[in-house]
Amino acid sequence: MASLNVGNLGEYLREQRRQAQLSLRQLADAAGVSNPYLSQIERGLRKPSADILQQLAKALRISAETLYVQAGILDERDRDEVETRAVILSDPSINERQKQVLLQIYDAFRKENAAEADQAPGADTGAAADADVDADAAAAAGTRADGAVPPTN
């Protein structure tokens, strides 16, 4: 497990709390931790467990994985996926069911792409797949893939 970078975590938590317009006491109550303990986390004096981070994330309505990355618990390579999930989960314009459906679709695409990458190592399937999608979309729209409108008969 990576070492915890609690200074950055504390700053990040404080910023998230302020964006949520919560006082230190309100967040502590919502997360089920003591006010002094949360203050120490924000000041970089304490290293919270993954469970505490999960409670804080739930109270802040952000992804627990986002806090795990900030704390150094989750590998930095997973950051893009975590950020994508965090953006979906924090979008106020869609409801919880819609967020879960989007995350399921996202997971399905990632699994599909990983499986394709495993099947054809070294092959650049992305460009070929993009060309196929462009051609299919163009055909459906009545244009060529290069955007030109084909002559009518």
Side-chain angles (χ1 to χ4, degrees), residues 44 64 79 83 89 95 113 115 136 139 142 147:
R79 179 175 279 251
E83 288 176 352
L89 291 170
N95 65 39
N113 291 344
D136 291 344

Side-chain angles (χ1 to χ4, degrees), residues 36-69:
Y37 181 63
L38 179 56
S39 175
Q40 290 172 352
I41 293 170
E42 283 192 359
R43 290 181 290 143
L45 302 174
R46 291 287 186 144
K47 298 177 182 179
S49 68
D51 288 338
I52 297 295
L53 290 173
Q54 187 171 6
Q55 290 170 230
L56 289 167
K58 185 175 180 182
L60 289 166
R61 295 179 183 243
I62 61 174
S63 162
E65 289 85 1
T66 302
L67 291 183
Y68 296 160
V69 169

Side-chain angles (χ1 to χ4, degrees), residues 91-108:
D91 188 336
S93 66
I94 58 177
N95 65 39
E96 292 303 316
R97 183 188 60 78
Q98 292 166 332
K99 291 175 186 180
Q100 292 308 312
V101 169
L102 277 174
L103 289 173
Q104 290 171 354
I105 292 169
Y106 178 68
D107 288 339

Side-chain angles (χ1 to χ4, degrees), residues 3-4 8 12 14 24 35 39 47-48 50 58 61 82 95 99 110 118 130 132 139 148-149 151-153:
S3 64
L4 294 178
N8 288 340
Y12 182 80
R14 182 179 296 116
L24 193 69
N35 192 34
S39 175
K47 298 177 182 179
K58 185 175 180 182
R61 295 179 183 243
V82 168
N95 65 39
K99 291 175 186 180
R110 288 181 54 85
D118 288 344
D130 289 345
D132 289 344
V149 177
T152 57
N153 293 344

Side-chain angles (χ1 to χ4, degrees), residues 8 22 25 47-48 51 56 59 72 84 86-87 90 109 111 135 137 141-142:
N8 288 340
L22 294 172
R25 186 175 310 278
K47 298 177 182 179
D51 288 338
L56 289 167
T84 300
V87 167
S90 66
F109 282 146
K111 287 177 186 172

